Each structure stands twice: as structure tokens, then as C-alpha cells.
Amino acid sequence: EADALSLLSAGGHGAQQGTLPACDESEDGTDHPTAAPSNTPVMRRRYLRAAMAGRIYYIMGASGAGKDSLLDYARDRLAASGGVIFAHRYITRPADAGGENHVALTPTEFAARDRLGCFALSWQAHGLSYGIGWEINFWMQAGVNVVVNGSREYYPAARAAYPDLVGVLIEVSPEAQAARLAARDRETGAALAARLRRAVVAVEAHPELVRIDNDGPLEAAGARLVDLLAPSRSMTL
């Protein structure tokens, strides 16, 4: 996989000779061209976003909501579609830690890439750093939709960076969530109660969210997620 910054410097997808048109942002949020070229992460994002035909589907859910299981379900059924890519996350977690198939970075490596603007999105949670690579912008320029395993706390910032982002919240009843977390046998007592309290995040203030109930069989919620992400459906949203 080519490094996204190298692709940009090489002139891929509209960039020329490693520079991009600079913009000044006025108080009303309007971008105005300036004479000096700019290659900062913010300027690159604005420049590329103007030509993007694809969009981000930002999937969120509390621990125990079944988000990872639903993502696996959808990935298995859409991998061959050609119109949807499930972005790997860059995480400061060992590769053999279990869970999702992620790109493992040390904290030092992550900080260096973050400074260089290698991440389209990045956040911290549970003592770890998470990043989504800049390469998603090139995928969206090619008309591909990108599925991101996101954080509820970071959702407002992600939507500010990509205003046409589709937020998808996986919901589950407190009873089902508690049962699933207890079945993992990772935490008990006070630790389990604390995780359940952390699961309550104020996302109700975002009426634009697509909400998928995952209290029932995985196949039911999975079918709805697949229908939402399928290229023939998502291109019309």
C-alpha cells in the first residue's frame, strides 16, 4: 500500500508537483484562494474533499452493543462489491492483542505520523491513540464509500471535518448490553459497572444519526447495515 503523503507529492488525484492551492478561511467559513501554495493537513483535506464522490460511514456503538460483530458481518458480505472499503485503524496497541485487524504503532510512531498529517481522523480513548489513514481521501475521490469504526466522543469532530459523513449508531438495551459484557468475563463488579456508566454518551443531540437496533439476532441488524452500506443504496443518500 503506497504511503498517502507520497501519493500526494507525486501528483495523484489532482495534486501537481507536490503542492496544493492554498486557501484562507474567512470568518463565514468560506475558502478564498491565495497566492502562496500550502501543503498542510487542513488545506489538503479541503482541496481533496471538493472532488470526493464517495463518503464516510462512521459506525459507533458502546461496549457490548455488538458493533465489531456487525462490522464483520457487513465486511464479509460487501468485500467483493468494489464500492465499499472498510478502513483499517492505526492503533497504539500490539498487533497480537486480539480484536480487530489493525495497524499497530508505538506511541512514538503514532505521534510522528500525526504531526506529519498522515491521519484523516485521529482520537484518543481508553489510554490508546486511534487513527484513520489519509488514504481514505483518495478512495473517496475514486467514488468509493469508506466504512470507519469510530468513537462516539469523536463524532462531532469527525463530522466537522467531513460534513457529508453518515453517522451510524448501533444501539442496544441496557439489559442486553450488561449481559454481553458479563459474558465476556473480562470485568466484574465495580469494573463492569464503570464500563456500563461510560457507555452512556450524549449522542441523542444528533438527530441526523442512522440508528440500528441490535438487541435481536445478529442477522437482523446485520442485514440493515449491509443495506445501508451497499453501493447501490448509499450512493443515493
Side-chain angles (χ1 to χ4, degrees):
E1 179 177 297
D3 180 83
L5 293 179
S6 299
L7 285 172
L8 186 60
S9 297
H13 297 285
Q16 298 181 1
Q17 300 179 358
T19 63
L20 300 176
C23 314
D24 285 334
E25 186 173 10
S26 65
E27 293 181 0
D28 63 0
T30 303
D31 292 339
H32 302 289
T34 63
S38 174
N39 200 30
T40 67
V42 172
M43 292 301 119
R44 292 201 306 273
R45 182 183 292 117
R46 290 177 185 154
Y47 178 69
L48 289 174
R49 193 167 59 204
M52 288 178 188
R55 68 198 318 179
I56 294 173
Y57 286 78
Y58 188 90
I59 316 298
M60 303 167 280
S63 296
K67 176 181 65 170
D68 291 343
S69 296
L70 285 174
L71 284 171
D72 288 342
Y73 183 98
R75 183 185 292 107
D76 289 344
R77 286 155 180 79
L78 294 171
S81 73
V84 181
I85 291 180
F86 290 73
H88 286 80
R89 297 198 291 186
Y90 296 76
I91 310 176
T92 54
R93 180 170 64 196
D96 58 358
E100 69 187 274
N101 179 19
H102 65 282
V103 180
L105 297 176
T106 67
T108 300
E109 290 174 321
F110 190 99
R113 294 192 186 203
D114 206 13
R115 287 195 302 271
L116 289 170
C118 294
F119 299 128
L121 303 168
S122 64
W123 65 91
Q124 285 73 44
H126 312 299
L128 300 172
S129 296
Y130 295 78
I132 303 297
W134 181 259
E135 60 269 18
I136 68 170
N137 294 303
F138 296 107
W139 300 341
M140 288 189 288
Q141 273 197 302
V144 175
N145 291 320
V146 177
V147 181
V148 168
N149 185 346
S151 160
R152 291 169 299 155
E153 291 88 345
Y154 187 71
Y155 171 69
R159 194 160 187 266
Y162 295 91
D164 62 346
L165 173 151
V166 179
V168 182
L169 180 64
I170 309 302
E171 296 185 306
V172 66
S173 68
E175 295 77 16
Q177 181 190 19
R180 291 173 186 174
L181 290 176
R184 292 180 181 179
D185 201 26
R186 298 178 187 173
E187 299 155 320
T188 59
L192 178 57
R195 179 171 287 276
L196 288 169
R197 286 195 299 271
R198 289 197 300 271
V200 181
V201 175
V203 291
E204 290 77 9
H206 300 284
E208 76 282 354
L209 289 175
V210 176
R211 297 170 184 267
I212 297 179
D213 185 286
N214 192 30
D215 259 10
L218 175 67
E219 293 75 14
R224 187 177 176 203
L225 181 60
V226 168
D227 180 64
L228 175 68
L229 301 177
S232 59
R233 162 73 164 81
S234 56
M235 287 298 186
T236 65
L237 285 179

